[in-house]
């Protein structure tokens, strides 16, 4: 089978959740002998040169990467608000150069499946239809408008709330309309699939398929480092608003008000870490910003927190933390789509006092903490292995 993956971000190196999700499928297809070509946007956030990318990856995926300036800009956003009705979120990903490159590829190559790796590249469906007979599949890591609806609901500033509500409404209209233009939709969770089906019952081909993890990263570790007792960590890109919202909430409503700093240490890491969080560092709060080796960063820590209040999709870092045997303490929303069980292989906490109680129990009962971590590891490795998940994609492709 020959697959063209089109992404709004470069999925290599696979360090953040979004790039890991895309790359894991690429890796799975290649391992099973299928042909994959990758067409990606190079954005200001990931503006790396091709020389920095593994030559093996460039060769095996026949990578084409086109720079697209997707930065949020005040005046274009204001012009969009006042004089246009389309979604500003998605219009930033429209590029003449990217379209020309895609058209050039489709004129000389044939594909069985063209997979769009987010709604932000849905703008190119018409071009694909003109140039190719391939089945077009949209994979969604989130239902984007739901994220922004939640953000607007949580916003306290009236003016900002009005703006966010308007933008999320436009995003919803774009997302739901353009989903109907593809041959199939693959959400990453059953929850997201139900949301899409409820909004667009006319879309016949919807199947939830999770992302996968490569067991090599976890079973191939040479040593097990000494875990720092009572160590808590959060790892997530801080250019994604739900992560910022989550960390702010945890610091203010859990960490500072519970006295946990007397018995535990909190580690915060992720690219684009705000200066105001760096400024809060202390002996018990360690802020490290961007991490080049996430797996190694997680190894010597005990508890992962995922205090998400908004968002959809599935949290890749939760699965990676589980695969490393970490105790994950998450909100129900953060654990959405993983089908894990509270007090068996994860701890669910939706209120500040529940987070505090879960952390204190792990601190006071090491055997309980170890039991949850071991069950989490078994669960992750049994349900998210690359080969099994890739087979689900291939079976669905064939059904089209």
């Amino acid at each position: 089978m020959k697959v063209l993956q089109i992404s709004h971000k470069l999925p290599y190196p696979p360090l953040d959740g979004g790039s890991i999700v895309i790359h894991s499928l690429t890796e799975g297809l290649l391992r099973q002998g299928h042909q994959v070509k990758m067409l990606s946007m190079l954005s200001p956030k990931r503006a790396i040169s091709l020389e920095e990318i593994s030559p093996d990856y460039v060769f095996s995926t026949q990578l084409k990467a086109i720079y697209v300036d997707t930065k949020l800009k005040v005046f274009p956003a204001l012009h969009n608000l006042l004089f246009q009705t389309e979604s500003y979120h998605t219009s930033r990903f429209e590029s003449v150069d990217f379209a020309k490159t895609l058209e050039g590829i489709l004129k000389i190559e044939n594909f069985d499946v063209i997979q769009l790796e987010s709604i932000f590249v849905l703008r190119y469906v018409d071009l694909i239809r003109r140039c190719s007979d391939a089945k077009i599949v949209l994979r969604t890591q989130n239902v984007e408008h739901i994220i922004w609806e939640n953000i607007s609901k949580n916003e306290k500033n009236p003016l900002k709330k009005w703006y966010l509500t308007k933008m999320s409404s436009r995003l919803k209209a774009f997302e739901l309309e353009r989903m109907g233009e593809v041959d199939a939709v693959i959400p990453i969770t059953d929850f997201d699939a139900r949301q899409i089906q409820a909004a667009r019952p006319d879309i016949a081909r919807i199947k939830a398929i999770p992302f996968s993890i490569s067991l090599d990263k976890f079973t191939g570790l040479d040593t097990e480092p000494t875990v720092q007792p009572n160590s808590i960590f959060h790892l997530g890109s801080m250019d994604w608003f739900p992560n910022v919202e989550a960390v702010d909430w945890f610091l203010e409503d859990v960490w500072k008000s519970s006295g946990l700093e007397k018995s535990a240490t909190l580690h915060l890491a992720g690219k684009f870490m705000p200066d105001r969080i760096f400024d809060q560092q202390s002996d018990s709060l360690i802020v490290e910003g961007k991490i080049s080796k996430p797996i190694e960063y997680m190894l010597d820590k005990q508890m992962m927190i995922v205090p998400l209040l908004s968002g959809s999709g599935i949290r890749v870092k939760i699965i990676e933390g589980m695969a490393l045997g970490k105790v994950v303490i998450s909100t129900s929303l953060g654990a959405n789509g993983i089908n894990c069980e509270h007090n068996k292989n994860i701890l669910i906490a939706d209120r500040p006092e529940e987070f505090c109680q879960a952390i204190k129990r792990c601190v006071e009962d090491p055997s309980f903490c170890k039991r949850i971590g071991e069950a989490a590891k078994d669960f992750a490795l049994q349900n998210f292995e690359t080969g099994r998940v890739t087979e689900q994609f291939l079976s669905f492709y064939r059904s089209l």
Side-chain angles (χ1 to χ4, degrees):
M1 187 169 289
K2 190 172 182 180
V3 179
L4 172 63
Q5 284 181 279
I6 303 177
S7 63
H8 72 295
K9 63 188 295 185
L10 186 67
Y12 196 93
L15 297 177
D16 61 88
S19 61
I20 291 170
V21 168
I22 299 171
H23 179 71
S24 63
L25 176 60
T26 308
E27 185 179 50
L29 290 170
L30 290 172
R31 283 185 177 183
Q32 296 196 26
H34 300 280
Q35 292 180 277
V36 181
K37 188 178 186 70
M38 175 64 66
L39 174 62
S40 298
M41 293 184 182
L42 278 176
S43 68
K45 290 181 180 179
R46 299 201 82 180
I48 64 177
S49 66
L50 292 184
E51 288 73 24
E52 299 176 70
I53 303 173
S54 163
D56 290 340
Y57 177 81
V58 175
F59 176 78
S60 62
T61 64
Q62 308 168 64
L63 173 67
K64 293 285 186 182
I66 307 300
Y67 181 79
V68 180
D69 186 358
T70 59
K71 287 185 293 189
L72 289 164
K73 299 175 182 176
V74 174
F75 289 113
L78 184 61
H79 183 271
N80 172 271
L81 175 65
L82 297 176
F83 303 109
Q84 297 175 324
T85 58
E86 68 171 355
S87 164
Y88 180 63
H89 286 90
T90 61
S91 65
R92 296 179 291 118
F93 296 87
E94 194 159 7
S95 163
V96 172
D97 289 341
F98 193 82
K100 286 181 178 178
T101 302
L102 174 58
E103 185 175 10
I105 291 171
L106 296 178
K107 283 183 176 179
I108 61 175
E109 294 188 64
N110 295 318
F111 299 92
D112 299 300
V113 173
I114 297 176
Q115 181 152 307
L116 308 178
E117 291 290 355
S118 80
I119 67 164
F120 299 110
V121 288
L122 276 172
R123 289 178 173 271
Y124 300 95
V125 169
D126 290 342
L127 187 157
I128 295 170
R129 292 288 188 208
R130 291 198 306 269
C131 301
S132 175
D133 294 326
K135 295 299 182 182
I136 304 176
V137 176
L138 169 68
R139 178 161 63 159
T140 62
Q141 296 187 25
N142 304 285
V143 181
E144 294 291 338
H145 74 266
I146 292 178
I147 294 175
W148 288 96
E149 284 177 347
N150 289 336
I151 290 171
S152 63
K153 288 175 184 176
N154 294 335
E155 178 56 49
K156 301 295 191 295
N157 183 298
L159 184 60
K160 193 173 180 181
K161 186 181 186 73
W162 171 81
Y163 176 75
L164 290 172
T165 300
K166 196 171 189 66
M167 290 300 100
S168 64
S169 176
R170 292 182 180 183
L171 179 61
K172 180 178 182 179
F174 173 91
E175 186 169 26
L176 294 180
E177 178 184 350
R178 293 297 181 94
M179 278 184 177
E181 299 173 0
V182 299
D183 296 301
V185 180
I186 302 180
I188 206 167
T189 69
D190 290 327
F191 175 81
D192 286 357
R194 290 193 296 270
Q195 294 288 319
I196 295 169
Q197 286 173 326
R200 289 296 308 263
D202 57 313
I203 298 178
R205 296 281 190 169
I206 300 177
K207 179 176 177 60
I209 303 177
F211 79 101
S212 65
I213 56 174
S214 174
L215 295 184
D216 296 346
K217 289 196 297 184
F218 304 97
T219 57
L221 296 172
D222 293 332
T223 60
E224 176 140 350
T226 302
V227 173
Q228 303 174 39
N230 308 331
S231 54
I232 308 163
F233 72 96
H234 179 275
L235 178 58
S237 179
M238 298 297 280
D239 60 342
W240 191 53
F241 182 83
N243 280 341
V244 178
E245 180 186 45
V247 170
D248 284 341
W249 177 80
F250 184 83
L251 286 174
E252 192 63 34
D253 291 0
V254 182
W255 186 252
K256 293 179 181 178
S257 60
S258 64
L260 285 171
E261 71 274 6
K262 297 176 183 178
S263 58
T265 55
L266 174 61
H267 301 255
L268 302 177
K271 61 183 180 180
F272 302 107
M273 185 69 67
D275 289 340
R276 57 183 171 75
I277 294 181
F278 274 110
D279 292 341
Q280 298 179 52
Q281 290 192 89
S282 66
D283 291 341
S284 58
L285 175 57
I286 297 94
V287 185
E288 301 186 48
K290 184 178 180 180
I291 296 297
S292 60
K293 297 181 178 180
I295 300 300
E296 286 81 349
Y297 175 78
M298 292 190 279
L299 272 177
D300 67 345
K301 297 171 183 65
Q302 188 177 36
M303 293 168 265
M304 169 189 280
I305 56 164
V306 187
L308 281 177
L309 305 176
S310 59
S312 70
I314 195 169
R315 305 280 69 79
V316 175
K317 285 294 183 287
I318 287 184
I319 304 303
E320 291 191 329
M322 285 182 154
L324 291 171
K326 304 303 169 185
V327 176
V328 179
I329 307 172
S330 172
T331 58
S332 300
L333 183 63
N336 172 51
I338 299 177
N339 298 323
C340 43
E341 295 182 50
H342 175 53
N343 273 337
K344 179 179 179 181
N345 44 39
I346 196 170
L347 300 178
I348 300 298
D350 289 313
R351 298 191 300 273
E353 58 270 25
E354 291 173 341
F355 258 98
C356 185
Q357 290 168 4
I359 293 170
K360 285 184 175 178
R361 183 172 183 186
C362 289
V363 169
E364 295 168 1
D365 189 349
S367 62
F368 169 77
C369 192
K370 183 178 180 181
R371 186 169 69 250
I372 296 293
E374 290 175 346
K377 183 173 183 176
D378 291 341
F379 172 81
L381 298 184
Q382 288 173 13
N383 291 279
F384 295 90
E385 191 272 323
T386 294
R388 296 179 185 179
V389 175
T390 302
E391 279 298 334
Q392 293 184 55
F393 275 95
L394 290 168
S395 176
F396 187 63
Y397 292 161
R398 295 183 188 109
S399 75
L400 301 178

